[in-house]
Amino acid sequence: MAEGDGHGRYSLQKFRLYETRSNFYMIGRDKSRAFWRVLKIDRLESSELSILEDPTVYTENECCDLLKRIHEGNKPTGGLKLVSACYGIIGFIKFLGPYYMLIITKRKKIGTICGHTVYSVAKRVMIPIPNTHMKANMEFVKNENRYKKLLCSVDLTKDFFFSYSYHVMRSLQKNLCNNETGQILYETMFVWNEYLTRGIRNSSKNALWTVALVHGFFKQVTLSLSGRDFKLTLIARRSRHFAGTRYLKRGVNERGRVANDVETEQIVFEDTPEGSPTHVTSVVQHRGSIPLFWSQETSKLNLRPDIILSRKDPTYEATRLHFENLAKRYGNPIIILNLIKTREKKPRETILRQEFADTIRYINRSLPQEERLRFLHLDINKHAKRKENCAIAVLTKVAEYALNLTGIFYGQVAANLKSEGSSLSLYFEKSDSGDCGSLNNNCDDADSFETDISSSSSYSKFKMPLLQKGVLRTNCIDCLDRTNVAQFAYGFVALGRQLHVLGLRESEDIDFYDPLVTDLMDVYEAMGDTLALQYGGSPAHNKVFSASRGQWNAATQSQEFFRTLQRYYSNAYVDAEKQDAINAFLGYFQPQQGKPSLWELDSDQHPDIRRRSQWQARPFMKRSLSDGNILLQAATPPVTKTLVCQPPVLEECKGICSFLSEESMPEIKASDSKVSDSRQGAQFAQEHDCLEGDHLCDDEERGDEFNSSNFLDVDWLSSSGSSFVEDNHGRSSSITALLLDDPDSKSNNRQSTSSLSRSAKAQGESGGSESPTSKFSKDFIRWVRDGEVLFN
């Protein structure tokens, strides 16, 4: 009989909780009612969690007989009573008094993946472990109740999901290629109740009794193409590491974990009849805060608080750890799409942009050629203000570039593995040689399965799986509004390739005005709103989506204005308590008697998280008095760096930057003083924005001093500013011409770059001094008028 430790062939899915005066009894069974297990929880111990799992696997009749004997033995104290039917244990938690148990009492089916059901939490309850007699002696009742209320403010019925048999905390490719199960899955970065379940998992040595909750977004829709139905699933997994709210969690911490770290997966598969294998394909992308030590303080008077950039990591070790983690999870290449602004009247995003670029250059100097980070700059705000769908057109070219490097995943799941009692693995159709079988090894490391998806051969001819290697990492300032538009563009291009590999379309290209794209946009827009509410406190700003649908009018603009106010209110007045609740739920703060309470500590804004007894108040961070300035706090003297454009790393890209000579590139120096004057800021932006004409640069063979890596300024790829309608059928040819060093393309884009530079210089203005109130009002009106409020 299979073991029930997570490596077996069954999972417990339905439970009943009983109580006696001295114990709780949790009875669990599998879906088929064939396997029954018993868990006993001691109610007499008030300070420790005592859990005992019965190793016996019962039948239904045997389990009923056991319950009758327990009832008979406890008749003098009231017998055995049913507390609740439930669908799994969320975990156990202790504040200042007893332990509490969180259980799911209602669930809702939200989708299926390869025959395995995914649920959301519809209702949960928190039950104290000690009986009422023990609870009467508890001290610190007031603070205890406040902690309970704080924990309950984490609404598990919104945006949390789980599955008993499908490992929803991992991508489809990892699930099919790596059969790891059990407790190790809870240690992944996307299981939010890892801390809450740690006690019971350590006691029972398995994960049978608990459900692994993933936080983020899950949406599955059924679409049709040429009379054939298929399912589109979009999953966003938020990391539990360095998790929190917008202004209280920024940048990176010392362990390389970034704020608002989200893995997005797009899965497509066709419904197949019972007894047939399922062909399935997926693609994964990533979003996360700029991996530098920077932050913003919540302000009740300033809609856009100052950005504080710290220079306490001279070797960029935290940033290096972040990208090493990405490479370990997804492989290489790591493609970075940076969507923040390239020019500003007052320097805010531009300084972060430059520091980020310097960081990547520094890290790439120590990396081998094949592991270097590919860095793409794209000022999406600039394109969003041009012709209709211009931003989508440019982002589509970036998506094609990235997908040609990373590929997508494609595989097959055998019919006998499409059940909730089975462990997923890849299945191969019979090839010409007659071989077939399942793939159970870790095929992420199998070079023999690598396939170049940029080739023109038809995907439908492949019998072996296709693997995604590498990932596109997108960020803006908040990784919400602009980032979501970019992720939709990536999903749009990927959808054409996914439908093609499944044999649903003859071509990889899909028209932007195809009804399927409208459905895809709706799903990504819903994901953007959900993630923005979680991190920023309001739905996402959807100017680009609204404009693409022809809905950008006064009513839509009013909606965007309201969302800005909603986000401001949430950040200023709600996020502090929300952050406290997250820290308590994730176990980053554990109350102790005689120690300061969670709500008595200073703002949880500094990147360094102090855990358990080491929790300390955050150091005071001095703020700039002028809106829009960035404070540069230097722990060590900054290093003078010179940016030199070099030939690209790809052999076919040689010459793409040849029109820029070394003499034309300005010398860039990192300032060690506070940028507090608007004129100095304007000069800083002009001196540092040498990549206005987007290009791919590599400082190869110029010595270690200039040995950075791949830099692509994507504006150069679309400097004509043509609309998406004009460019819809020529996306791949445009980028291919540029990467193949087309002289005409370079000439046209060089002219456009010059015109854009002249235009940017003509728009320069100097700032004046005003009272804070009038300045706030005028700046707010200007942000709304110029559309900047749409992309915070």
Side-chain angles (χ1 to χ4, degrees), residues 303 541 560-570 780:
L303 196 68
H541 295 295
E560 298 298 310
F561 177 81
F562 174 76
R563 290 182 176 184
T564 298
L565 293 181
Q566 183 181 357
R567 188 173 294 185
Y568 157 73
Y569 177 83
S570 178
F780 186 80

Side-chain angles (χ1 to χ4, degrees), residues 466-509:
L466 301 173
L467 300 178
Q468 176 178 342
K469 294 215 169 187
V471 73
L472 173 66
R473 183 197 193 276
T474 306
N475 74 267
C476 49
I477 289 295
D478 297 320
C479 300
L480 297 178
D481 312 320
R482 289 171 277 186
T483 297
N484 200 61
V485 175
Q487 290 207 322
F488 159 73
Y490 186 83
F492 161 60
V493 178
L495 179 62
R497 303 190 180 200
Q498 290 177 295
L499 295 177
H500 177 57
V501 75
L502 292 176
L504 295 173
R505 293 184 66 92
E506 294 183 359
S507 172
E508 297 177 11
D509 296 328

Side-chain angles (χ1 to χ4, degrees), residues 145-264:
N145 289 336
R146 186 167 179 178
Y147 277 119
K148 290 167 59 179
K149 183 179 179 181
L150 192 66
L151 184 73
C152 290
S153 67
V154 179
D155 192 352
L156 299 181
T157 64
K158 289 185 178 179
D159 313 325
F160 283 87
F161 49 94
F162 66 96
S163 177
Y164 299 105
S165 54
Y166 180 79
H167 308 316
V168 72
M169 74 291 293
R170 302 197 309 179
S171 68
L172 181 67
Q173 177 171 314
K174 287 188 176 180
N175 281 330
L176 290 175
C177 296
N178 191 328
N179 284 332
E180 288 181 348
T181 57
Q183 297 193 66
I184 191 172
L185 298 176
Y186 282 75
E187 299 172 5
T188 61
M189 60 193 299
F190 301 118
V191 178
W192 274 54
N193 59 334
E194 185 278 333
Y195 163 71
L196 298 179
T197 60
R198 197 178 298 166
I200 183 174
R201 287 185 290 110
N202 289 338
S203 296
S204 62
K205 306 301 180 184
N206 62 55
L208 271 177
W209 302 94
T210 59
V211 296
L213 291 183
V214 179
H215 185 39
F217 177 83
F218 185 100
K219 180 76 172 179
Q220 186 172 85
V221 294
T222 301
L223 305 176
S224 181
L225 183 64
S226 301
R228 298 168 64 181
D229 292 340
F230 66 92
K231 291 189 183 297
L232 169 69
T233 307
L234 189 63
I235 306 175
R237 307 174 180 95
R238 292 192 68 194
S239 171
R240 62 183 170 89
H241 300 305
F242 204 47
T245 57
R246 185 185 180 201
Y247 287 143
L248 300 179
K249 282 292 179 286
R250 289 293 213 197
V252 68
N253 66 11
E254 283 80 359
R255 295 188 178 99
R257 307 296 188 177
V258 297
N260 202 23
D261 190 330
V262 182
E263 176 184 271
T264 303

Side-chain angles (χ1 to χ4, degrees), residues 495-549:
L495 179 62
R497 303 190 180 200
Q498 290 177 295
L499 295 177
H500 177 57
V501 75
L502 292 176
L504 295 173
R505 293 184 66 92
E506 294 183 359
S507 172
E508 297 177 11
D509 296 328
I510 182 171
D511 190 273
F512 183 75
Y513 299 103
D514 190 301
L516 291 178
V517 179
T518 302
D519 295 326
L520 182 71
M521 183 182 295
D522 291 341
V523 176
Y524 271 90
E525 190 171 8
M527 180 184 72
D529 288 342
T530 299
L531 296 179
L533 280 167
Q534 294 168 6
Y535 184 64
S538 79
H541 295 295
N542 294 318
K543 172 186 175 182
V544 174
F545 291 152
S546 299
S548 298
R549 290 191 293 259

Side-chain angles (χ1 to χ4, degrees), residues 44-82:
L44 298 179
E45 178 58 60
S46 60
S47 58
E48 298 295 333
L49 185 62
S50 178
I51 299 176
L52 178 64
E53 182 187 45
D54 188 339
T56 306
V57 179
Y58 295 93
T59 64
E60 185 172 1
N61 291 333
E62 291 172 343
C63 192
C64 290
D65 291 340
L66 176 65
L67 292 177
K68 289 179 182 179
R69 293 196 299 269
I70 295 174
H71 176 70
E72 293 295 329
N74 287 273
K75 269 189 175 181
T77 57
L80 184 70
K81 300 177 182 179
L82 175 66

Side-chain angles (χ1 to χ4, degrees), residues 398-664:
V398 175
E400 289 176 340
Y401 168 78
L403 282 167
N404 285 339
L405 291 174
T406 66
I408 64 174
F409 171 76
Y410 163 75
Q412 300 174 48
V413 178
N416 61 337
L417 300 180
K418 293 159 51 177
S419 63
E420 301 198 3
S422 303
S423 179
L424 289 177
S425 63
L426 281 183
Y427 166 80
F428 304 106
E429 289 183 345
K430 288 186 178 180
S431 62
D432 295 338
S433 61
D435 297 329
C436 64
S438 295
L439 176 65
N440 293 317
N441 63 307
N442 188 347
C443 59
D444 285 331
D445 298 326
D447 294 335
S448 60
F449 296 126
E450 290 187 9
T451 304
D452 184 5
I453 72 165
S454 62
S455 64
S456 59
S457 58
S458 173
Y459 288 127
S460 59
K461 297 178 181 179
F462 285 100
K463 305 299 182 184
M464 304 292 280
L466 301 173
L467 300 178
Q468 176 178 342
K469 294 215 169 187
V471 73
L472 173 66
R473 183 197 193 276
T474 306
N475 74 267
C476 49
I477 289 295
D478 297 320
C479 300
L480 297 178
D481 312 320
R482 289 171 277 186
T483 297
N484 200 61
V485 175
Q487 290 207 322
F488 159 73
Y490 186 83
F492 161 60
V493 178
L495 179 62
R497 303 190 180 200
Q498 290 177 295
L499 295 177
H500 177 57
V501 75
L502 292 176
L504 295 173
R505 293 184 66 92
E506 294 183 359
S507 172
E508 297 177 11
D509 296 328
I510 182 171
D511 190 273
F512 183 75
Y513 299 103
D514 190 301
L516 291 178
V517 179
T518 302
D519 295 326
L520 182 71
M521 183 182 295
D522 291 341
V523 176
Y524 271 90
E525 190 171 8
M527 180 184 72
D529 288 342
T530 299
L531 296 179
L533 280 167
Q534 294 168 6
Y535 184 64
S538 79
H541 295 295
N542 294 318
K543 172 186 175 182
V544 174
F545 291 152
S546 299
S548 298
R549 290 191 293 259
Q551 298 175 338
W552 184 240
N553 50 36
T556 307
Q557 190 168 9
S558 299
Q559 181 187 61
E560 298 298 310
F561 177 81
F562 174 76
R563 290 182 176 184
T564 298
L565 293 181
Q566 183 181 357
R567 188 173 294 185
Y568 157 73
Y569 177 83
S570 178
N571 298 159
Y573 298 97
V574 179
D575 281 0
E577 184 172 342
K578 187 176 178 181
Q579 183 68 58
D580 288 344
I582 293 173
N583 289 335
F585 184 86
L586 295 176
Y588 292 149
F589 177 85
Q590 299 175 21
Q592 295 182 14
Q593 296 183 9
K595 299 292 184 180
S597 301
L598 179 57
W599 47 85
E600 295 174 348
L601 299 175
D602 288 346
S603 171
D604 184 22
Q605 176 176 348
H606 194 270
D608 183 20
I609 290 184
R610 310 295 185 188
R611 306 185 71 174
R612 299 178 176 85
S613 61
Q614 297 179 350
W615 188 282
Q616 299 175 1
R618 301 294 184 262
F620 177 75
M621 305 180 77
K622 185 177 180 181
R623 297 187 55 211
S624 169
L625 298 179
S626 61
D627 170 65
N629 289 350
I630 299 179
L631 306 184
L632 302 179
Q633 298 180 338
T636 57
V639 181
T640 301
K641 300 179 181 179
T642 303
L643 173 64
V644 180
C645 181
Q646 303 291 345
V649 60
L650 299 177
E651 191 68 22
E652 62 269 25
C653 300
K654 288 184 177 180
I656 198 171
C657 302
S658 58
F659 69 94
L660 290 176
S661 64
E662 294 185 19
E663 291 76 16
S664 67

Side-chain angles (χ1 to χ4, degrees), residues 239-404:
S239 171
R240 62 183 170 89
H241 300 305
F242 204 47
T245 57
R246 185 185 180 201
Y247 287 143
L248 300 179
K249 282 292 179 286
R250 289 293 213 197
V252 68
N253 66 11
E254 283 80 359
R255 295 188 178 99
R257 307 296 188 177
V258 297
N260 202 23
D261 190 330
V262 182
E263 176 184 271
T264 303
E265 182 177 22
Q266 180 174 299
I267 302 175
V268 180
F269 61 91
E270 187 179 9
D271 288 329
T272 55
E274 189 174 346
S276 301
T278 295
H279 298 247
V280 61
T281 174
S282 73
V283 63
V284 173
Q285 53 182 319
H286 176 271
R287 72 168 76 183
S289 187
I290 297 175
L292 303 172
F293 287 110
W294 66 283
S295 59
Q296 282 181 283
E297 288 190 357
T298 305
S299 173
K300 297 180 180 180
L301 298 176
N302 190 350
L303 196 68
R304 301 173 70 190
D306 300 325
I307 296 175
I308 301 172
L309 177 63
S310 174
R311 291 186 180 272
K312 62 180 180 181
D313 191 8
T315 60
Y316 304 111
E317 187 61 28
T319 310
R320 186 191 305 273
L321 286 174
H322 173 67
F323 287 112
E324 286 178 355
N325 178 265
L326 285 182
K328 182 179 180 180
R329 286 157 53 194
Y330 305 111
N332 288 305
I334 304 299
I335 307 162
I336 306 164
L337 176 57
N338 185 28
L339 300 175
I340 62 180
K341 297 177 181 178
T342 56
R343 292 187 181 276
E344 296 175 296
K345 297 174 183 178
K346 292 182 180 180
R348 289 175 57 85
E349 299 183 13
T350 49
I351 296 182
L352 275 179
R353 178 186 188 271
Q354 180 59 40
E355 181 68 12
F356 195 12
D358 290 344
T359 304
I360 301 304
R361 291 188 184 92
Y362 184 92
I363 292 174
N364 276 338
R365 288 171 182 164
S366 61
L367 294 177
Q369 189 78 20
E370 64 277 5
E371 297 179 8
R372 288 182 176 177
L373 307 171
R374 299 169 186 262
F375 197 27
L376 287 73
H377 280 307
L378 174 61
D379 186 347
I380 191 63
N381 270 13
K382 178 173 63 177
H383 294 283
K385 296 177 183 179
R386 292 179 179 175
K387 294 182 180 181
E388 178 185 358
N389 292 327
C390 178
I392 299 292
V394 180
L395 290 169
T396 298
K397 296 176 182 178
V398 175
E400 289 176 340
Y401 168 78
L403 282 167
N404 285 339

